[in-house]
Amino acid sequence: MSNLRQELKAQIIEQLNLEDLEITDINDNDELFGDEIGLDSIDALELIVLLEKDYGIKITDPKEGKEVFYSVETMATYIEKHS
Amino acid sequence: MRQKPAVHIIDDEIIAPLGWGTSANIAQIKQRQTAIKKHKISAENFYYAALFEEEELQQNFKKLSFSNAEDFTKLEKLFLLTVHQLLERNPINLEETVLIISTTKGNVELLENAENSIPEKSKLYSLGKTIQKYFNIKNEPITLSNACISGGLGLSVGKRLLEENAYKNALVLGGDVVSKFTRSGFQLLQAMDSEICKPYDKNRKGINLGEAAAGVLLSTEIQNSTIQIVGEAIANDANHISGPSRRGEGLVKAISSALKEAHLESSAIDYISAHGTATLYNDAMEAQAFGRLNLQQKPLTSYKAHYGHTFGGSALIESILSIKSLQQNLLFPSLGCSEIGVEPPLNIQQNLEEKKLKYALKTASGFGGCNFAMIFKNLMYA
Amino acid sequence: MHKNHQISASVILRNHQVIFNGKVIFETAEDLELLAFLKACYQDLEIDYAKFYKMDLLSKLGFIASEYLAKDQKLTPETALILQNSSGSLETDLNYQASISNENAFASPSVFVYTLPNIVLGELSIRQQLQTENAFFISEKFDASFLIVYLQNLFSTNKANAAICGWLDLDKEGYNVFLSLITQDDKGKALTAENLKENYEQFKTRA
């Protein structure tokens, strides 16, 4: 398992205050906004801030955000491509 | 059950970038004017908003012979001017009057330079104290902060207190100013259109910010009124703190409860002044709610493309405009909707139109999942 | 006037103590951070509600107090939520302001959402599934007389048949929470401004 994916999980838990979750509770391919993790629209905006703050990547198109934030895997792939 | 006294609308005032005084605002609305303009933040950054010209505000403040202009914040000045206008036209007994102030952020701009000490005026209740002191109002003012329904809730609170005979008159004020605080926040929420907003349109992208203040005088004793509040209610979606319920649960409940209090069926409503912020989800939610109550055919206006979203002021300003529609038997045009983009489609009022009106419905919805509905009756309807 | 309505339960959160109907039912050391005290309460309540962690401090305070208040009773679906405080959402406002004043900081959208005092009413509505009347008032001091008149109107117009009402305040100096459950039960004290005020005035210092 890659470090980036682990790092992302820790950052997501921290940034979104998901204190009831451990890194091991999130699988790379879990749907972040589905039943497994259950994020909402404000979380999506927080993830945009996270990408900019920690990876210097700006997402301005909300539609793009939806694809990027589908899972930890899609986020990691996007970061790898854009950094 | 004990009969409650009827609560009447006696007078109103709107002070907004669109116009100084209610009549000036109506004149602008009839001409399809908007106060929303492009404003610069920095060299490459701009936003669309309806803002006061500093110069105009100072001039008007001077004209009304208030002293020490520099002692008051912008919002205080707007509220003082509003109350001044209302009291000048209506010599009411202040001993029997309660002041109700609706605002979301008050003087929040004072926090910008707060450093370590919190300015007393950044507390929302301080606005009431300033006005109370200036006009010598004996009763303790009531202040409320309930997101985007604040101005409407202020009218409800006024009506409720008067119904209980706690006071004879209520001066309900609502307002907010635009600050870096709210501007940056709505940018973060990606909730602002980069052009003039387009309520209910297929291509709507979000809100514009606006600043304004308004006031309404309510009374149970003054006799010459033509408008009565016949029903009102608040209801929460119990769904999400920043997004509305998709099916408009709280709004349906608020409207139903207001209709029940007014002893009316939804078919009796002649006109709707809706919230229409031009965000994707708000407008879609409203269409769902109106559809569920079979109100989708009623002529409907959003004033957000005239004023921007004035938060604490919006529901109060839009209530006043509904009252003017009833009094003048005129439907005012909604701006910004060229192709309807909600389901079921709503009957957006596109032009100025004469029509006999008896009942107007005003609605608003806001963060925290709150929803507001109020029904005004035209007592001159024949 | 209020033949049918009683103050059926009250909760006070002060000095890191939880006081339910006049009895201390939970406490921690007074020198804990507020957040740590609230988390200890959350554990004491033995509930599982992930949204708790996302709330700002004002909402956490309101949430914890209302959980204790509603612990042993089922709220009726027409329970209104009517709260007052003197500071609005000032603590969260200051957090947000700090993040936009600092060029190098990244402001948080969720912090901004909590810069409205009535957000806590939304949180409580969601938790208790109450699609009811709610309002947040700002006043310098706890105003029991106003609450009584307001509730009287809500009950007599059938807009609510019960209420959670009270004081929920947080500022740099500390926090002060007093919530009462008003119902049509037989038990409890009569709903009057005097009784509400009397309940509020208890436990100003640590018991």
Side-chain angles (χ1 to χ4, degrees):
Chain A
M1 219 182 288
S2 88
N3 278 336
L4 173 59
R5 283 153 185 80
Q6 296 305 95
E7 182 184 289
L8 269 173
K9 289 173 195 174
Q11 287 164 334
I12 290 171
I13 289 170
E14 160 88 23
Q15 179 89 18
L16 307 185
N17 295 311
L18 307 175
E19 281 185 44
D20 55 327
L21 293 185
E22 304 281 342
I23 291 180
T24 48
D25 292 332
I26 307 178
N27 297 311
D28 290 357
N29 290 307
D30 279 353
E31 212 178 309
L32 291 174
F33 291 85
D35 291 338
E36 286 130 344
I37 314 295
L39 302 187
D40 68 6
S41 54
I42 296 293
D43 295 321
L45 296 166
E46 289 289 347
L47 291 179
I48 290 175
V49 174
L50 187 154
L51 272 197
E52 189 177 349
K53 185 171 70 173
D54 296 335
Y55 299 96
I57 301 172
K58 266 195 185 185
I59 291 187
T60 44
D61 180 3
K63 279 192 197 120
E64 193 183 12
K66 227 177 185 174
E67 287 159 26
V68 176
F69 301 132
Y70 183 81
S71 65
V72 169
E73 183 58 40
T74 55
M75 279 181 80
T77 310
Y78 186 83
I79 292 166
E80 281 159 356
K81 226 187 268 173
H82 288 82
S83 52
Chain B
M1 207 205 313
R2 181 172 50 94
Q3 187 74 29
K4 305 223 183 262
V7 177
H8 291 104
I9 308 278
I10 306 306
D11 198 5
D12 51 74
E13 185 71 343
I14 301 172
I15 297 181
L18 189 65
W20 207 271
T22 303
S23 332
N25 277 272
I26 297 292
Q28 294 281 65
I29 285 167
K30 285 183 182 170
Q31 300 288 325
R32 310 178 66 86
Q33 297 297 308
T34 176
I36 300 165
K37 287 182 199 151
K38 191 171 176 173
H39 294 271
K40 239 184 180 173
I41 304 170
S42 63
E44 65 274 28
N45 262 327
F46 63 87
Y47 72 124
Y48 277 80
L51 307 179
F52 284 105
E53 307 271 349
E54 199 55 41
E55 184 74 4
E56 191 188 15
L57 182 60
Q58 298 306 350
Q59 285 306 320
N60 276 284
F61 202 66
K62 259 187 230 152
K63 205 161 61 192
L64 292 173
S65 75
F66 284 111
S67 55
N68 308 324
E70 66 280 5
D71 289 340
F72 298 110
T73 66
K74 187 176 188 178
L75 188 58
E76 283 177 332
K77 284 180 193 166
L78 292 170
F79 280 150
L80 287 168
L81 283 161
T82 307
V83 176
H84 176 94
Q85 296 290 87
L86 286 170
L87 291 183
E88 198 173 57
R89 293 196 295 260
N90 304 277
I92 51 171
N93 182 355
L94 288 181
E95 297 260 312
E96 296 186 298
T97 301
V98 63
L99 184 65
I100 297 166
I101 291 161
S102 311
T103 185
T104 63
K105 295 312 309 164
N107 299 316
V108 73
E109 74 277 8
L110 298 178
L111 296 183
E112 265 175 51
N113 310 308
E115 305 292 326
N116 292 319
S117 70
I118 309 300
E120 180 64 14
K121 283 193 175 183
S122 61
K123 298 247 184 155
L124 298 183
Y125 64 77
S126 76
L127 289 162
K129 294 218 169 284
T130 301
I131 301 160
Q132 180 189 25
K133 195 173 148 207
Y134 199 91
F135 293 100
N136 248 323
I137 300 170
K138 188 192 72 178
N139 298 307
E140 273 303 305
I142 311 286
T143 304
L144 62 94
S145 182
N146 228 76
C148 307
I149 72 162
S150 296
L153 178 60
L155 284 177
S156 283
V157 171
K159 167 178 168 281
R160 292 168 183 188
L161 294 176
L162 297 193
E163 279 179 343
E164 298 309 311
N165 286 309
Y167 311 94
K168 297 274 190 242
N169 311 302
L171 267 173
V172 181
L173 303 180
D176 269 298
V177 295
V178 173
S179 59
K180 186 181 171 190
F181 192 102
T182 44
R183 192 190 68 221
S184 64
F186 280 92
Q187 272 169 340
L188 275 177
L189 297 183
Q190 303 196 341
M192 295 206 289
D193 199 326
S194 56
E195 297 166 18
I196 295 180
C197 68
K198 301 175 269 296
Y200 306 107
D201 190 84
K202 211 175 125 226
N203 295 313
R204 67 185 182 278
K205 298 228 161 51
I207 67 165
N208 300 134
L209 299 179
E211 51 190 10
V216 168
L217 175 59
L218 300 177
S219 180
T220 49
E221 66 170 5
I222 300 172
Q223 299 296 326
N224 60 355
S225 153
T226 61
I227 304 288
Q228 186 189 338
I229 300 174
V230 289
E232 44 78 29
I234 316 297
N236 200 288
D237 283 334
N239 176 62
H240 193 269
I241 55 166
S242 64
S245 142
R246 295 286 166 104
R247 296 268 291 139
E249 297 295 342
L251 184 54
V252 167
K253 195 175 168 203
I255 298 171
S256 305
S257 174
L259 285 166
K260 196 172 139 202
E261 185 178 30
H263 304 292
L264 294 174
E265 299 290 329
S266 66
S267 55
I269 299 298
D270 295 305
Y271 162 74
I272 304 170
S273 163
H275 194 43
T277 58
T279 64
L280 205 53
Y281 292 120
N282 173 77
D283 294 9
M285 174 282 284
E286 287 186 88
Q288 284 288 309
F290 293 137
R292 285 174 67 182
L293 293 162
N294 208 18
L295 286 163
Q296 71 275 17
Q297 295 297 331
K298 306 290 183 184
L300 177 146
T301 311
S302 160
Y303 290 105
K304 297 297 189 294
H306 301 75
Y307 290 92
H309 194 336
T310 58
F311 301 104
S314 63
L316 194 60
I317 291 173
E318 293 154 13
S319 292
I320 295 172
L321 298 173
S322 317
I323 292 162
K324 294 297 136 185
S325 275
L326 290 179
Q327 288 173 332
Q328 303 180 9
N329 289 300
L330 273 180
L331 295 169
F332 299 125
S334 198
L335 299 178
C337 179
S338 50
E339 190 180 346
I340 192 83
V342 290
E343 190 49 46
L346 298 174
N347 179 13
I348 309 299
Q349 183 65 31
Q350 296 290 355
N351 299 305
L352 186 66
E353 185 185 332
E354 276 188 51
K355 194 179 176 197
K356 289 254 184 220
L357 301 171
K358 188 171 183 186
Y359 291 107
L361 169 66
K362 170 68 206 134
T363 65
S365 305
F367 277 6
C370 50
N371 298 273
F372 158 82
M374 182 171 274
I375 299 165
F376 301 100
K377 180 181 183 182
N378 181 1
L379 300 172
M380 304 304 280
Y381 179 88
Chain C
M1 184 68 56
H2 294 285
K3 267 188 297 244
N4 301 320
H5 282 95
Q6 310 282 325
I7 307 171
S8 62
S10 291
V11 164
I12 289 172
L13 303 187
R14 282 177 198 145
N15 312 303
H16 287 14
Q17 291 185 312
V18 180
I19 298 119
F20 181 79
N21 287 347
K23 279 194 209 114
V24 178
I25 56 165
F26 181 75
E27 63 187 336
T28 68
E30 245 188 306
D31 55 5
L32 275 191
E33 293 272 334
L34 174 55
L35 183 59
F37 166 66
L38 289 168
K39 283 186 184 172
C41 293
Y42 178 85
Q43 306 229 303
D44 176 59
L45 282 159
E46 297 179 329
I47 43 177
D48 181 16
Y49 192 68
K51 278 197 176 81
F52 170 77
Y53 297 109
K54 294 176 161 254
M55 297 175 190
D56 73 343
L57 280 174
L58 187 69
S59 290
K60 281 194 175 87
L61 279 165
F63 176 84
I64 292 294
S66 65
E67 285 297 306
Y68 279 111
L69 195 60
K71 205 178 175 190
D72 299 319
Q73 12 207 334
K74 177 112 188 62
L75 298 178
T76 82
E78 292 304 322
T79 302
L81 299 174
I82 313 298
L83 298 184
Q84 299 176 332
N85 79 8
S86 82
S87 300
S89 54
L90 191 58
E91 274 305 289
T92 301
D93 292 0
L94 288 166
N95 284 341
Y96 181 74
Q97 183 64 49
S99 70
I100 58 169
S101 299
N102 180 348
E103 296 277 320
N104 302 313
F106 282 82
S108 149
S110 66
V111 172
F112 178 69
V113 168
Y114 283 100
T115 63
L116 291 165
N118 68 303
I119 295 296
V120 60
L121 300 175
E123 295 284 16
L124 301 190
S125 299
I126 294 165
R127 170 63 175 171
Q128 307 289 348
Q129 278 305 297
L130 296 172
Q131 291 183 341
T132 54
E133 281 282 341
N134 57 127
F136 207 113
F137 295 97
I138 315 289
S139 66
E140 198 171 7
K141 295 193 185 83
F142 178 59
D143 188 349
S145 312
F146 167 77
L147 280 177
I148 294 293
V149 176
Y150 197 75
L151 291 175
Q152 185 175 304
N153 186 266
L154 287 182
F155 296 150
S156 62
T157 55
N158 296 312
K159 285 174 184 161
N161 58 23
I164 290 176
C165 69
W167 184 258
L168 174 65
D169 201 30
L170 169 71
D171 64 16
K172 281 267 171 284
E173 311 293 306
Y175 63 96
N176 179 7
V177 181
F178 164 75
L179 296 190
S180 277
L181 178 64
I182 314 296
T183 66
Q184 287 174 303
D185 291 346
D186 297 330
K187 58 173 186 173
K189 279 190 197 173
L191 177 62
T192 64
E194 293 71 33
N195 287 342
L196 210 50
K197 185 106 201 295
E198 192 185 304
N199 284 2
Y200 170 85
E201 294 293 343
Q202 293 172 346
F203 297 93
K204 283 277 168 84
T205 53
R206 195 171 158 103

